[in-house]
Amino acid sequence: MSEMLQQGDRLPQLKFKLVDGDELDMPSGMSSRYLALLFFRGAW
């Protein structure tokens, strides 16, 4: 298992598929230097 991110760590390159079919590249696709990620596990 990979290590958890700690405060001050850089975010690795990630690609997310959005509900409208587009993709979001992180962190390069973000407009701000600061970022908070929230994950929600839906029950569907």
Side-chain angles (χ1 to χ4, degrees):
M1 181 181 266
S2 63
E3 293 183 27
M4 295 176 59
L5 292 175
Q6 300 297 318
Q7 183 175 345
D9 287 351
R10 291 187 181 268
L11 185 68
Q13 282 296 120
L14 301 170
K15 185 175 282 197
F16 293 97
K17 187 162 195 150
L18 303 176
V19 293
D20 65 358
D22 287 341
E23 290 185 344
L24 174 64
D25 292 323
M26 293 175 80
S28 61
M30 303 308 295
S31 60
S32 174
R33 178 179 167 195
Y34 300 100
L35 176 68
L37 295 177
L38 302 175
F39 292 93
F40 177 75
R41 181 177 174 248
W44 43 74

